[in-house]
Every structure is written in structure tokens, then in C-alpha cells.
Amino acid sequence: MQIFRTKPIEATIAETHEPGRRLKRSLSAWDLMIMGVAVAVGAGIFSVGAKAAASFAGPAVTVSFAIAAVACALAIMCYAEFATAIPVAGSAYVFTYATMGEVLAWIIGWNLILELFTAGAVVAKYWGLYLSKVFSLVGVDVPPSIQLGPVELVWGPFLIVSVFTALLVLGTKLSARVANFFTIIKIAVVLFVIVVGFFYIKAENFSPFVPSAVPAQSADTTAVLKQSLFAFATGAAPAQYGLFGVFAGAALVFFAFIGFDVVATSAEEVKNPQKTLPRGIFAGLAVVTLLYILVSLALTGMVPYTTLAAADQPTLTTAFEAVGNTDAAKVIAFGSLVGLTTVIMVLLMGFARVVLAMSRDGLLPRALSVTSEKRSTPARLQILCGVLVALVAGLTKVDVLEEMINIGTLSAFVVVSLGVMVLRRKRPDLKAAFRVPFGKVLPIVSAVLCLYLMTNLAVETWIYFAGWLVIGLIIYFAYGQRHSRLNERFAAQREAITETQ
């Protein structure tokens, strides 16, 4: 079937030199490392660990972070092998197109759009809320939203998205320099929180390290749609803590690792990608993992996990308030604001690069892949992405779709992990500068682990995900398949053969 035809790698690389659709190679390994830290270390470091400790893992949330880091590292190895073999924009979408066929590539691209668009909108909205919180902590009352007739507008997202959209239009290197500045500030804030938190650690708070499993008490976890798919499918009674709680915590804190696949979308803008990409991505992942584990140790050592569980919305601030250090709340609020700032920038860039790759192939309108002659950035596409993210963040309640970010990322990780083995079989002549070690073992482990983490997401999330896929397939068969450049190329070849006969 035509929908399963793969795109030749040589054609994919050749199209990156097409006049009017080129990107400029300007990023170094340092830029990539900072980009990975910039997108991963956001406000989540101050909140997602506390939620996982309170509701699922207790002090073993450190193990949850380690599991999530391993899953991310295994998948990122597969990304690195692909990216050094096919150093073009588009990440998992491009890799899937070269190995598993057009329709699966569309699905992965569509899922990446889900991940980056939803994440961008969610993070931009939280940025606006944290901005108001920072103002209130210094005694300035600035409401987070304004009423425009029947519409309530959260103005913060429009401000931050506009600023970074403009920076990305002006150039990827300039945006990276701004991200470097903000990232250094937020790492300093995180280190401050870790150091101060360690002074309050008490060994007894780590016991029991893995709390015994208990029946779920919250209505959010007992309702059918809020149960994990694994619990729903196996008929297991909803429970908290225990060994399964550690894995459920890993599925939740995986949110804190999203973004490293976004770094891979910048492959076409990296200098010497065969060496630079692996170094930059893995260095960023190592820094992020170390910071997360230290923060989780400080968090669960400061107060018993039951103190976190008693809070309606547990965060790192909850722990500092429990030990009487309310001044840390100002630092944490400022750190959250700075942390979210660079996350928005990288997500906006990744969103535009995935759409650019899909439009180059004709699966989305080709006009979207046009780049600026002066700056070699997809200016009109970047502006369109910024407008969409700002509107959704400023006008809707996007927080209900937070888990959609995780499922979109994990689905891409599964396909890329399997795709590495397909690439090796189909193109043994293609020598990637980086190869995942131990043959097929690690890619298979990566796919299985990511798939298992997906089953720990709520049934409701899977229903939304299925709806998103249906919408995507409708668009593909109504537009993408008919306008695909690959299908047009095959049609022209068939016509030429017919004429010669």
C-alpha cells in the first residue's frame, strides 16, 4: 500500500538544501546541552516531584525519577542514532518516515504536534499565573487575567509567547543565547533550594522508603476514567504507594523529562551533528537527572511524605512552609517563573520544526515550510505557532490535558526505539556516528518500558488520545495522502513507466 511506503534517506537530506526552505547550522554541543536543561528544568521540578511523592511513591519518588530517567536515556540513545544518521529537522517524524512508512510517520508527527502544542500552551498559562504570584510576593497586586466581555483572558501567555516567537523569528542562535542566560539563573535557584533543603533533612523522614500499598482514598484515583489503563485492564483495585506506586510515580514525573526529543528536532541547525548531537543531548540529560534526584531527596527528607499528601496541591513550597522557612517561597516562585521561561522557547521552536518537516513533505500545506532568506528561520510558521499557543493558553483551560503531553511523548519514544532496529535492517550501509550499544536489547527494553509507562496514564487520557488520533487520520486521508510529495513522486514514476511500455 502507498501509505506504508518509506521516504529515501537521501531524498530527505537533499531536501534540506532546497532554496527557500533551508535552516542554518549554528548550534554547538553547549547550546544543545543548555537547550535540554532549558526545556526540562521548568516549574515541574518544584511541583511534579512533590505530587508523585504525596500520591504514589513516598520517599521512593527518587527511584521514580531514576526509572523515568532510564526510560528517557534509552529512548534518547535511539534518537541519537537516528539523528546522527539523518541530521534533519523533524525528529521522530522524519525517522519514522524513513523506516516504517508514511501513515505511521504522520501519526508520530501528529503526536509530536500534540505534545509540543499542548505543552507550550500549558506551560505558557502557568507562566502567566506564576508571574502574578511573584508580583503578589513582593506586594504588587496584578491580576492574572482580565475580563473582555464574556471572555476571561489570561494575559501572561500572550506576553511571553510573543517575546520568544519574535526571538525565534530573528534567529535560532540568538534565541539560544537568551536561553543560556535564563538557564544559568534557574540552575542557580535550583542549587540554592537543594542546599537549603539539605539543612532540614531528617533520616526518619525516609522511612518507610517504599510505603506499603493502601487502597486509594481520593475520588480522582477511584473514578474509572481517572484510573490508570493498567489498573482498568487488569481489574486491579485502585491503590496508592507500594511497588506499583513507584512506577505510577515514574509515569507522572516523566513529564519532567519531556523536551529531550525536542532537542533532536534541531538536528538540521547543529554544527557537525554526528558528534555534537550525542554530546549535547546526553550532557543535558545527565545534568537534569542529577538535579531532579537531589531535589527529590531534599523534598522527602525535609518532611514526611504524609505531610505532602495532606496538602491539596503539594509543591516544594509545602515542604519549606512545613519546616518554617516561608522566605524560600519567594525564591521558589521566582525559580518557577524563570524555569518556565526557557521551556516555552524550546517548545515553540520544536513545534515549528515538526510542522516544517511535515509541510516539506506535502502532508501539511507546503507554504508552511518557507524560510526567511535573511535569517534562515521559518518566520511565518513560527508566528503561526506562536499565535495558536498564545490563544489556547490565554483563553482556555488547558490544564485538563496535561497528561496528553506525556502520552504524545511516550508514543513517539516507542516508535523511535523500534525504528532503530528497522533502520539497521533496511540500511546496513548507513553508518550512524552513534549507535545504541548491546544490539537489539536496549531498543527493545526502551520500547517496552515506555509502553508500560503509557499504561500507567489515566483511562481518560487514553480516550482523549484516541480522539486525537482519529482527527489526525481524517486529516491525513482527506489532505495529506493526496498532497504527499512521496506519493506524487511514485505516481510520476508509474506514469513514466506506462508511457515507455
Side-chain angles (χ1 to χ4, degrees), residues 292-375:
Y292 284 167
I293 289 177
L294 290 175
V295 167
S296 63
L297 284 172
L299 170 72
T300 54
M302 290 171 67
V303 295
Y305 74 93
T306 51
T307 300
L308 299 172
D312 291 333
Q313 294 292 331
T315 65
L316 198 55
T317 304
T318 307
F320 277 98
E321 290 175 344
V323 297
N325 191 342
T326 55
D327 290 337
K330 296 180 181 180
V331 177
I332 293 171
F334 174 73
S336 298
L337 184 68
V338 174
L340 289 174
T341 302
T342 51
V343 175
I344 294 168
M345 187 209 77
V346 180
L347 291 172
L348 286 171
M349 187 189 79
F351 181 19
R353 298 311 182 268
V354 171
V355 175
L356 179 141
M358 296 175 74
S359 62
R360 268 181 181 165
D361 293 326
L363 300 182
L364 291 173
R366 286 268 293 165
L368 296 175
S369 61
V370 174
T371 57
S372 166
E373 291 185 13
K374 182 178 180 181
R375 298 183 176 88

Side-chain angles (χ1 to χ4, degrees), residues 63-79 247 250-251 254 257 285 289 409-410 413-414 417 442-443 445-454:
V63 179
S64 297
F65 271 112
I67 293 171
V70 169
C72 185
L74 291 174
I76 290 305
M77 285 185 188
C78 300
Y79 270 85
F247 281 97
F254 188 82
F257 288 93
L285 180 60
T289 302
T409 305
L410 285 166
F413 279 14
V414 170
S417 300
L442 291 188
V445 172
S446 173
V448 171
L449 184 53
C450 290
L451 188 60
Y452 176 70
L453 290 179
M454 287 177 71

Side-chain angles (χ1 to χ4, degrees), residues 238-252:
Q240 294 174 277
Y241 311 121
L243 180 60
F244 287 113
V246 174
F247 281 97
L252 177 61

Side-chain angles (χ1 to χ4, degrees), residues 23-33 35 83-84 87-89 172-174 176-177 180 263-281 433:
L23 296 174
K24 184 179 179 181
R25 294 194 181 276
S26 60
L27 300 178
S28 64
W30 170 263
D31 292 325
L32 288 184
M33 184 189 77
M35 191 181 296
T84 56
V88 301
T172 305
K173 186 65 177 180
L174 173 62
R177 287 172 180 166
N180 291 352
V263 177
T265 68
S266 64
E268 197 174 323
E269 296 165 272
V270 175
K271 294 182 289 188
N272 192 10
Q274 284 72 20
K275 292 182 178 179
T276 303
L277 266 166
R279 291 173 182 172
I281 291 177

Side-chain angles (χ1 to χ4, degrees), residues 121-316:
V122 169
V123 173
K125 184 147 195 172
Y126 282 157
W127 188 92
L129 298 176
Y130 274 109
L131 180 63
S132 296
K133 187 174 181 179
V134 169
F135 277 129
S136 67
L137 287 173
V138 296
V140 180
D141 184 20
V142 179
S145 61
I146 55 177
Q147 200 69 33
L148 298 176
V151 178
E152 184 181 14
L153 172 68
V154 181
W155 58 271
F158 283 88
L159 172 63
I160 190 64
V161 171
S162 297
V163 169
F164 277 111
T165 296
L167 283 172
L168 287 165
V169 167
L170 291 174
T172 305
K173 186 65 177 180
L174 173 62
S175 304
R177 287 172 180 166
V178 175
N180 291 352
F181 173 75
F182 280 105
T183 301
I184 291 171
I185 292 176
K186 70 179 176 182
I187 289 177
V189 172
V190 171
L191 291 176
F192 169 80
V193 170
I194 291 169
V195 171
V196 174
F198 266 61
F199 279 104
Y200 293 98
I201 286 180
K202 295 180 180 179
E204 57 266 29
N205 290 333
F206 291 119
S207 181
F209 188 68
V210 181
S212 300
V214 297
Q217 302 296 321
S218 170
D220 284 346
T221 52
T222 55
V224 171
L225 293 182
K226 299 295 184 181
Q227 291 182 31
S228 71
L229 181 67
F230 180 82
F232 177 78
T234 60
Q240 294 174 277
Y241 311 121
L243 180 60
F244 287 113
V246 174
F247 281 97
L252 177 61
V253 302
F254 188 82
F255 173 81
F257 288 93
I258 69 159
F260 285 97
D261 57 322
V262 181
V263 177
T265 68
S266 64
E268 197 174 323
E269 296 165 272
V270 175
K271 294 182 289 188
N272 192 10
Q274 284 72 20
K275 292 182 178 179
T276 303
L277 266 166
R279 291 173 182 172
I281 291 177
F282 291 126
L285 180 60
V287 171
V288 167
T289 302
L290 178 62
L291 291 176
Y292 284 167
I293 289 177
L294 290 175
V295 167
S296 63
L297 284 172
L299 170 72
T300 54
M302 290 171 67
V303 295
Y305 74 93
T306 51
T307 300
L308 299 172
D312 291 333
Q313 294 292 331
T315 65
L316 198 55

